[in-house]
Amino acid sequence: RWLRQPERAAVVTLAMAAGPPPPPLEPSPLPTFTEEGFTEKFLRKTRENPLVPLGCLTTVGVLAYGIICFQKGYTRRSQLMMRARVLAQGFTIVALVGGMVATAVKSRQ
């Protein structure tokens, strides 16, 4: 309603045009990424969250020992190792989620 009056619209337009011109737009440089092989990426991820590979190794170790006990006929120990495997897998999942949360929090800062 206020801008519908022609003399006021001209004042607003002139006031906007009287300011300094905006700086010219310059293209920003593109980020550069280095090629990272499997070994470098594995080592970097292990340094960032060392509990995940530890949990994976523990899970595989407990599973292998449980299978060996099963083959030898030690049923009680085999069942105990299968329960321990589930615990080790749970630890690995918690470590994975914890590492993801820590990375997300660190990237926000």
Side-chain angles (χ1 to χ4, degrees):
R1 191 176 198 185
W2 184 74
L3 289 176
R4 288 187 186 163
Q5 299 171 351
E7 59 276 353
R8 290 186 188 230
V11 171
V12 171
T13 306
L14 291 175
M16 292 168 69
L25 296 176
E26 296 178 13
S28 60
L30 296 174
T32 57
F33 297 101
T34 59
E35 284 296 318
E36 187 176 39
F38 174 77
T39 306
E40 292 87 13
K41 185 174 182 178
F42 179 77
L43 291 175
R44 179 177 56 86
K45 293 287 188 179
T46 301
R47 274 185 252 114
E48 288 175 3
N49 194 358
L51 296 179
V52 173
L54 179 67
C56 290
L57 288 174
T58 303
T59 302
V60 169
V62 170
L63 176 64
Y65 186 64
I67 290 173
I68 290 170
C69 289
F70 180 74
Q71 287 177 344
K72 289 185 176 182
Y74 304 139
T75 57
R76 183 171 170 80
R77 189 175 294 166
S78 172
Q79 287 296 313
L80 183 65
M81 289 299 109
M82 291 305 117
R83 292 180 188 141
R85 176 192 56 85
V86 171
L87 288 176
Q89 283 177 321
F91 172 79
T92 304
I93 297 296
V94 169
L96 183 67
V97 171
M100 288 170 52
V101 169
T103 302
V105 168
K106 189 168 67 171
S107 69
R108 283 185 173 215
Q109 293 176 350

